[in-house]
Amino acid sequence: MFTQPGDGAQGRYDANVQHLYQAHTGVGPGGAVPCQVCGSLPAVHAVLRAHQGMFLIMRSRKREGFFCRSCGTSLQRQMTTDTLWQGWWGVMSFFITPVTVLLNLGPRARFRRLAEPYGGWRPPLDPGRRVLARPPALLILTPMTVLALVLGYGITAAALDDGSVASVRAGDCVRNLSTWPDQDLQPVDCASHLAEYRAARLEDCEGDEYLMRLEYAADAEALCLKLLGSG
Ligand SMILES: [Zn+2]
């Protein structure tokens, strides 16, 4: 009942296991299908995946069948771990690998909901350590986490920076955190004692003011900076 055309040796092996199991115990209670690795019940149908990138070529593995809690978890952990260190080495693989890891999370959740396996013809596979506790995951995830944090920090900093830059309109006040002619302008309230310059339109400038760098202008309008208190 498990052998389909093209299933190959694995399919024939599974079918044999199935026959053995049925010879021993008959069909599982309620027509439930037993684990194809150890013959235990209960088992659930699942598709597990692994991906391997090899620069220009790549290979995806798939294992489909009924698995009990222990065998399913064991296979899911092994295939996910393999993917975590073998998966990244290619351009397309770089995108396929995280998808593969995510696709294994569905079966993982279903295995966890199963009761402890019983009645198998051999002991179930040892689930082993969870994926995140295995060396390949630490090897790959630690630099990736650091990279994500650095990128995240960079993007956040850039976004915050962007908020304070490009916001000056004619009439607004700023102070220069740098030394002229460098500009590191910070918008400040005109009533504040920190305010040093008031931005003005070019037609209101007399010609001896500093020209504000365009990147600070809210409307990409050229503005000059009048020293406050100079009129
Ligand atoms: Zn099993």
Side-chain angles (χ1 to χ4, degrees), residues 35 38 68 71:
C35 172
C38 71
C68 71
C71 297

Side-chain angles (χ1 to χ4, degrees), residues 35 37 42-44 46 48 66-81 104-117 124-131 134:
C35 172
V37 177
V44 68
L48 295 164
F66 283 81
F67 304 104
C68 71
R69 180 189 172 111
S70 296
C71 297
T73 303
S74 173
L75 292 169
Q76 182 266 325
R77 286 176 175 174
Q78 191 55 52
M79 291 175 84
T80 301
T81 303
N104 280 347
L105 291 181
R108 174 179 179 267
R110 293 212 302 283
F111 297 143
R112 285 160 80 120
R113 282 199 293 271
L114 290 175
E116 287 295 323
L125 300 177
D126 179 6
R129 303 171 77 177
R130 59 202 186 89
V131 171
R134 298 182 186 205

